[in-house]
Amino acid sequence: MAIQLSKSSKERREPSCRVMVVDDSAVARGIVTRTLEEEDGIKVVASVPNGLMALKAAGNHEIDVVVLDIEMPELDGLAALPRLLELKPDLKVIMVSSASQRDADISLKTMAMGAADYVAKPKAGLGGAESFRAELVSKVREHGTGAGKAAVRHPPSPRQNAASAREEEVARNPARPNRAPSKPDVIAIGSSTGGPQALAEVLRDLDPALTQPILVTQHMPATFTGLLAEHMTRYSGRSATEARDGEVLEPGRIYIAPGGKHMLVERRAAGGTIIRLDDGPPENSCKPAVDPMLRSLAKAFQDRLLVVILTGMGSDGLKGCEAVQKEGGRIFAQDRESSVVWGMPGAVAQAGICEEILPLRKIGPAIIRIAGGEGK
């Protein structure tokens, strides 16, 4: 079968993001191609039905982002991914899979293999799923025209220079707790794009002796979050579970916000703290979202809270961190260089409300220092 080259529906000059769509379904390829080419600055330069054709096309075209299906004949997405990255190490690959448990598990594995992101196919089919198409466009644009790519191909823009200067300023003059710092009773982590790998590294680095419960909100659909908990149990050596409504926070355990619900906490009059799952509207277009978790934790734990904002697009977590800072809690953010996308941590860093901006490898040790009561 010959490689089908798509034509843009509009005349555009020098698209900022060049995409290859790989899916064995011609209908799916057509929907994804039309969805992307309706967007200014995005051009689909190749549309192919399997991994073998993708490898050939990658050798013939300048490509920034690959939208890669998992289930395909001849060479599936799981087998094609490492070969594509070997051919073009700077390529950003977004995996597209069904929301089945098997495909969700494979999608998480591909993140460890170098995939940049994933999008879950809706059960009703691609044609009627506006949320799927909106998420796909957002992630393609972010990975294809992000700061990392711009820094390689073009001189930094004034906005990027200003952001870098702000990061350096915060690093030199970090925010300090507005009262004498306390040893945290709980640790909260927020993440999105690139989060599964970052979470694995941070949790793996934690001292087994730390007793604080750890609450995690990672932007993920249902099915994925339960598997994420299983993966984090293996990586961290701690018990990680998808949070359940009404369960009591226990020392040393990791609680993952389930897809489709916000994770909150509630202090009980008789003592102890329980988890509440909230079915309210999305915040920052996310459900679960980091902001409601942090607002709830700030109210319950005040200055006895440590927050870490990891890699992710958008600014979810910023408003929640503002509430945490107001109550005297402490905030760390992942640095630009080690983030897949410096959106969420960048928003907190540039607001001047985080105490430290750290590379990923230093976040685990920093948590140990603060949560162990060593750092003031």
Side-chain angles (χ1 to χ4, degrees), residues 158-314:
R159 183 177 179 180
Q160 290 164 354
N161 281 331
S164 296
R166 179 59 178 156
E167 183 181 1
E168 292 174 3
E169 179 186 342
V170 174
R172 290 193 302 267
N173 301 290
R176 296 298 181 191
N178 55 19
R179 63 190 74 171
S182 302
K183 180 179 176 180
D185 289 337
V186 67
I187 299 164
I189 303 175
S191 55
S192 183
T193 308
Q197 311 100 299
L199 279 169
E201 183 167 338
V202 169
L203 295 175
R204 185 176 59 234
D205 289 345
L206 295 185
D207 188 332
L210 287 183
T211 59
Q212 290 88 345
I214 301 169
L215 279 70
V216 177
T217 290
Q218 159 73 37
H219 296 164
M220 272 187 167
T223 304
F224 282 71
T225 48
L227 289 167
L228 178 67
E230 294 177 13
H231 282 236
M232 293 306 108
T233 296
R234 293 198 294 269
Y235 287 128
S236 69
R238 295 168 179 261
S239 174
T241 59
E242 199 174 38
R244 299 186 301 274
D245 188 68
E247 69 178 314
V248 179
L249 290 186
E250 296 181 2
R253 292 192 62 184
I254 300 169
Y255 301 89
I256 308 288
K261 297 290 180 84
H262 300 305
M263 180 170 61
L264 314 178
V265 297
E266 179 183 295
R267 288 281 200 179
R268 297 189 304 181
T273 305
I274 61 173
I275 288 176
R276 288 299 186 197
L277 299 182
D278 179 72
D279 198 23
E283 292 194 28
N284 307 298
S285 302
C286 301
K287 189 177 178 182
V290 179
D291 277 338
M293 175 184 74
L294 295 185
R295 288 196 302 267
S296 174
L297 287 167
K299 180 179 179 181
F301 289 94
Q302 299 178 316
D303 61 333
R304 294 186 173 273
L305 171 62
L306 172 61
V307 174
V308 179
I309 303 297
L310 299 176
T311 174
M313 68 176 64

Side-chain angles (χ1 to χ4, degrees), residues 71-107:
E71 296 284 351
M72 294 181 293
E74 296 192 59
L75 190 69
D76 64 18
L78 191 63
L81 173 63
R83 293 174 64 176
L84 284 167
L85 293 176
E86 183 179 6
L87 184 65
K88 293 191 173 183
D90 293 334
L91 203 60
K92 301 297 183 183
V93 180
I94 299 174
M95 306 301 297
V96 178
S97 72
S98 72
S100 70
Q101 183 164 350
R102 177 182 177 276
D103 276 4
D105 191 32
I106 292 172
S107 294

Side-chain angles (χ1 to χ4, degrees), residues 167 309 333-339 342 345 357-360 363:
E167 183 181 1
I309 303 297
Q334 187 175 349
D335 72 355
R336 180 194 301 270
E337 186 175 353
S338 67
S339 295
W342 204 58
I357 304 171
L358 298 166
L360 186 60
I363 291 176

Side-chain angles (χ1 to χ4, degrees), residues 4-22:
Q4 300 172 3
L5 300 183
S6 63
K7 295 182 180 180
S8 172
S9 60
K10 299 179 183 179
E11 290 295 326
R12 300 183 181 90
R13 296 180 181 178
E14 298 182 3
S16 57
C17 179
R18 293 157 296 192
V19 182
M20 175 166 63
V21 178
V22 188

